[in-house]
Amino acid sequence: MIVAAGRGERAGQADGPKQYRHIGGRAVIAHTLETFLSHPQVDTVVVAIHADDRELLRKAAEGYHDRVTIVIGGPTRQESVRLGLLALNEEAPSKVLIHDAVRPFCDMELISRTIGTITDRQGALPALPVADTLKREAFGGMVGETVPRAGLHGAQTPQGFPFLSILQAHDRAHALGRHDFTDDAAIAEWAGIPVMLVPGSPDNVKLTWARDISMADQRLKGTAASFPDVRTGNGYDVHSFEAGDHVVLCGVSIPHTRKLSGHSDADVGLHALTDALLATCGAGDIGTHFPPSDPQWKGAASRRFVEHAVAIVRERGGRIANADITLICEAPKIGPHREAMVAELSSMLGISGERISIKATTNERLGFVGREEGIAAIATASVIYPGEVPA
């Protein structure tokens, strides 16, 4: 749930609400949306916006419209969050993250830490220990006292909670006319929901003032001017045939006179892709993470292997740019199933179908493939990582 209904008066209004100002050539909220929609554990994104900002969000969310639900927010942040949570009530997820649209530098690891800390009885609050010495102001602008900073933390978002608990807390506060809470963790505390601190990120700043937006723009422009760290990984796999009545290729079950032999479902396409993804960040190969000697992987769907590799890539800040798989076989025919395969891979990788290529070729009756003794697959994946290529 992304909160984007504010007007951002402190940042000035000459160029519109701050969540739609451009940094690095794109709206602030576009960077925020991309991060959360790229995370493998985020299923649904609800954005609470101001009634006047429909067109601004439409432009900012270009390419994500089918994955974003829009809710018109209320007069306060607290009310906007409540309305956004109500929009999720029909789906009723087990966990919900609540994030400020104007924190565009939240990273994948912070999201994962927060999600991993939420339980059915406990929320999670990213925070950083206060480093500055704190002073309490007295009458006339004089220093009244120094406040001990031991145990004090600065709160960040996304704040995470068991969904039904935080929705009920918001509804109760609304019914009692309590509109004075400054964040969702404060409502959780008031409602008796325990909240666990998790390490925040110093990069996860909130863009409050015009100067913050200018500095964020310069930061992204500086990144764009450097040579991007784009890495390409390759994977190859082969499985022989054995008695059976279907094969599984790229996540799709296809009727056939035989099946592929393997410890898992023997999906050569997804096995090759798993290796390609792991190769982009030096994380070993499929056998490292899913050894065939381990009985728990017997008959396992290879989708699990790909999603595990995707999670590793995301945790290291990687954004998957595209995936290309070539299946090498005499039979079965791949063409009739290509669209279903692309849909499966789009779901696993969290990228659009236009970034996925699935091709098939025969081996011209040569070798073990030509003799129809098995199927081979070659996969290539490109991933963009943060930073620049070292000299």
Side-chain angles (χ1 to χ4, degrees):
M1 145 104 239
I2 294 176
V3 191
R7 299 289 82 192
E9 285 84 357
R10 285 178 289 183
Q13 285 290 297
D15 299 314
K18 59 186 178 182
Q19 59 268 37
Y20 302 107
R21 307 274 185 91
H22 278 213
I23 57 173
R26 302 165 63 205
V28 170
I29 194 172
H31 296 276
T32 305
L33 282 170
E34 181 178 60
T35 299
F36 282 88
L37 289 169
S38 297
H39 196 283
Q41 291 177 273
V42 174
D43 298 318
T44 302
V45 172
V46 171
V47 185
I49 68 169
H50 191 277
D52 296 338
D53 294 347
R54 289 182 182 273
E55 182 61 18
L56 289 172
L57 182 65
R58 187 192 68 78
K59 292 179 180 178
E62 190 72 39
Y64 301 122
H65 295 148
D66 59 336
R67 299 187 60 195
V68 173
T69 299
I70 299 173
V71 172
I72 301 303
T76 65
R77 181 191 186 280
Q78 183 178 326
E79 180 62 4
S80 293
V81 171
R82 188 182 75 87
L83 293 171
L85 294 174
L86 285 172
L88 281 170
N89 198 25
E90 184 175 343
E91 183 176 341
S94 59
K95 302 178 181 181
V96 64
L97 300 177
I98 303 170
H99 186 67
D100 297 323
V102 289
R103 289 186 186 269
F105 298 120
C106 179
D107 59 65
M108 294 290 183
E109 293 183 359
L110 176 56
I111 296 172
S112 296
R113 283 199 300 274
T114 305
I115 293 174
T117 304
I118 305 168
T119 69
D120 58 354
R121 298 182 179 180
Q122 169 185 286
L125 171 66
L128 292 175
V130 173
D132 296 327
T133 298
L134 301 176
K135 304 290 182 180
R136 191 185 307 281
E137 182 181 355
F139 179 76
M142 301 298 290
V143 173
E145 63 173 320
T146 298
V147 180
R149 66 188 180 195
L152 294 181
H153 290 74
Q156 298 184 336
T157 66
Q159 298 178 9
F161 307 93
F163 173 73
L164 290 177
S165 297
I166 196 64
L167 173 59
Q168 290 167 0
H170 267 278
D171 277 342
R172 182 180 163 208
H174 178 76
L176 294 174
R178 289 292 307 272
H179 305 292
D180 55 327
F181 295 102
T182 55
D183 71 356
D184 303 288
I187 294 180
E189 296 164 40
W190 170 76
I193 304 170
V195 179
M196 176 71 73
L197 291 172
V198 297
S201 167
D203 292 331
N204 185 28
V205 295
K206 185 176 182 180
L207 306 186
T208 303
W209 307 97
R211 183 172 181 273
D212 299 333
I213 297 170
S214 176
M215 291 177 66
D217 184 42
Q218 291 302 314
R219 170 181 170 178
L220 290 174
K221 283 181 177 177
T223 301
S226 63
F227 190 74
D229 189 1
V230 181
R231 308 181 196 175
T232 300
N234 292 313
Y236 174 81
D237 194 41
V238 59
H239 283 278
S240 61
F241 282 122
E242 64 180 17
D245 59 7
H246 73 282
V247 293
V248 179
L249 295 172
C250 295
V252 176
S253 180
I254 303 172
H256 192 52
T257 55
R258 288 173 288 176
K259 75 180 187 74
L260 291 171
S261 174
H263 189 61
S264 63
D265 63 6
D267 189 329
V268 287
L270 296 190
H271 291 187
L273 179 60
T274 299
D275 277 347
L277 289 167
L278 293 172
T280 66
C281 54
D285 60 16
I286 192 170
T288 305
H289 300 267
F290 305 98
S293 58
D294 190 336
Q296 70 173 308
W297 306 122
K298 184 172 179 60
S302 296
R303 178 189 185 102
R304 296 174 62 183
F305 306 160
V306 173
E307 290 175 338
H308 177 76
V310 168
I312 290 175
V313 167
R314 303 287 194 216
E315 286 168 3
R316 301 186 185 192
R319 291 188 294 123
I320 300 170
N322 80 298
D324 179 24
I325 298 175
T326 300
L327 299 170
I328 309 167
C329 59
E330 302 295 331
K333 294 293 184 183
I334 302 303
H337 307 282
R338 183 177 286 110
E339 186 175 341
M341 292 176 177
V342 169
E344 287 291 317
L345 283 168
S346 179
S347 172
M348 294 178 218
L349 301 175
I351 60 177
S352 63
E354 67 180 9
R355 294 180 176 273
I356 297 167
S357 172
I358 296 176
K359 307 185 298 295
T361 186
T362 69
N363 222 32
E364 298 295 336
R365 296 292 174 182
L366 299 175
F368 73 92
V369 171
R371 294 189 297 269
E372 298 190 40
E373 295 173 2
I375 296 178
I378 300 171
T380 303
S382 294
V383 179
I384 304 169
Y385 286 90
E388 58 182 299
V389 176

